Amino acid sequence: MPIQFIRSSLFASPTNLLRTLFRVTKLRSLAMGSYTASSQSSKLFFRQLFEKESSTYTYLLADVSHPDKPALLIDPVDKTVDRDLSLVKELGLKLIYALNTHVHADHITGTGLIKTKSPGVKSIISKASGSKADILVEPGDKVSFGDLFLEVRATPGHTSGCVTYVTGDGPDQPQPRMAFTGDALLIRGCGRTDFQGGSSLQLYKSVHSQIFTLPKDTLIYPAHDYKGFSVSTVEEEMLYNPRLTKNQETFKGIMENLNLAYPKMMGIAVPANMVCGLQDTTS
Amino acid sequence: MPIQFIRSSLFASPTNLLRTLFRVTKLRSLAMGSYTASSQSSKLFFRQLFEKESSTYTYLLADVSHPDKPALLIDPVDKTVDRDLSLVKELGLKLIYALNTHVHADHITGTGLIKTKSPGVKSIISKASGSKADILVEPGDKVSFGDLFLEVRATPGHTSGCVTYVTGDGPDQPQPRMAFTGDALLIRGCGRTDFQGGSSLQLYKSVHSQIFTLPKDTLIYPAHDYKGFSVSTVEEEMLYNPRLTKNQETFKGIMENLNLAYPKMMGIAVPANMVCGLQDTTS
């Protein structure tokens, strides 16, 4: 899969252009209040999945209007790969990508197992992560699945290579938009910034410039939640996030005094995740 | 709160009738495929919340087009009441009801604490449960919040008083419909039937007659999930539920041979839940 493919816009291929121009679009652009906690278009299939031990959310997205029903998984976990692949199969989806928002320190990514069990799938992570993967993405890149796409936004600070994947901005893309923020922005919280190239000032700038500038009704889907929240919105976090509503200096002070324990899985998870599971499938 | 109120139809009050007839409705009736995993109207606010210890889902619904933003909670848990009430407050909603789908054996309902902390809220459970609550509902009753409502369907079998709450059927109600199935139907599973008046044959009939007869794209929101699934659809469960796709006799055999341990919390939870927390607020 050449890197150009995912860098291309929705309209770059002549076939796509024709399909987009002449298709009777089924998407209704809803005037949604910021309260509504679900995004939809007539073509996006979306499912939120949870791994209880590490409190990790995995997201399954697919373009079900496309004949192939191409699908992708964001932040899959090794322990729940069978569940995820079984669901993909039952729903008749074709998994094409397994993406990570960053190099996780608390669990092992499922991408290695997924590639073993479903060899056509390509792994994706940011170039800035310094990791290995089939495709290394950079800010502004698009990850296309059918006629839908995710936009890559750089949101470093928790790690130096963190990205947020945001559903496309366009008349034929889901409304409201959905931001898969990894550990950059959590619901009423954020990822720690004390290792893996973390920087509280960088995180503050990332969230304010790359996430809080999205439309207020954009749905926030984080990589983790520890309190049982499933989703939030840009507006909610701009109003109620107890850390990121503070000024930059106060935020820095909060992050420097969290006194968190070292993640139990870090010694195992980070080396494994730096190669996105490719140690199992390449030699 | 007289029982007549919640038995009344959407149009029963003259004010509601006028509001409904003359309001420019914002709801778009989407031609949704059964794959789409979220329901929406321009007026429904919806949030799924999770209590990790008992793997219980609590659901927050509100009519945010109504000036009061009336809201209800389905199956709140005592341990997460503060989280839920804090969210309700942040969002500017007015909590009016706390509903239980049944008398839970694995956790203590949050209704008692909610009524203590937010005295205007009324508790709701089925009359068939034999429990105490402010309002006892029967099959066919409607639980109205603003211009939205939930329909009560009897789905006994896990307990003799289990009900499923289903969002309304009508042009101004959410599409696709949403079924809060309690422990009657779980995602790729169902509640046990070996105590509390449980009956596998009754559960089989309940699910097939009351849930599987709903439109195929109806979203299934259960009281629990132990594998990290958040939602399913009627169509998915009719195709892939490993128990309820079997015939009645096979289902009975499966349910009789589960060999499940007695729930740890049962001795404490059931007596507390039989009075829906009213022991704390009435004398």
Side-chain angles (χ1 to χ4, degrees), chain A residues 45-51 55-62 71-77 80 83-84 87-88 95 97-99 101 114 150 165 178-182 185-187 219-225 229-232, chain B residues 228 230:
Chain A
F45 171 87
F46 174 66
R47 214 43 80 84
Q48 184 172 31
L49 299 152
F50 189 61
E51 196 285 307
S55 294
T56 301
Y57 281 123
T58 297
Y59 300 97
L60 174 62
L61 288 82
L72 55 83
L73 281 165
I74 299 175
D75 287 333
V77 178
T80 39
R83 172 198 66 188
D84 300 347
L87 184 62
V88 163
L95 189 63
Y97 296 128
L99 294 76
T101 51
I114 288 172
L150 296 173
Y165 298 107
M178 305 158 84
F180 301 94
T181 55
L185 179 61
L186 305 178
I187 299 172
L219 300 166
I220 301 296
Y221 285 106
H224 301 282
D225 193 89
F229 292 113
S230 55
V231 64
S232 182
Chain B
S230 57

Side-chain angles (χ1 to χ4, degrees), chain A residues 2 6-7 14 22 40 49 64-65 93 126 135 137 143 150 154 176 178 185 214 220 229 231 248 255:
Chain A
I6 59 156
R7 293 243 167 93
F22 296 108
Q40 71 188 47
L49 299 152
V64 289
S65 291
L93 308 177
S126 75
I135 299 168
V137 289
V143 179
L150 296 173
M178 305 158 84
L185 179 61
L214 286 162
I220 301 296
F229 292 113
V231 64
Q248 192 171 282
M255 297 310 289

Side-chain angles (χ1 to χ4, degrees), chain B residues 28-55:
Chain B
R28 319 286 177 95
S29 182
L30 290 171
M32 298 296 304
S34 60
Y35 283 112
T36 307
S38 56
S39 179
Q40 72 188 48
S41 74
S42 60
K43 44 198 310 193
L44 175 70
F45 171 88
F46 173 67
R47 212 45 78 83
Q48 183 173 32
L49 300 152
F50 188 61
E51 197 285 308
K52 210 169 165 177
E53 200 173 314
S54 60
S55 293

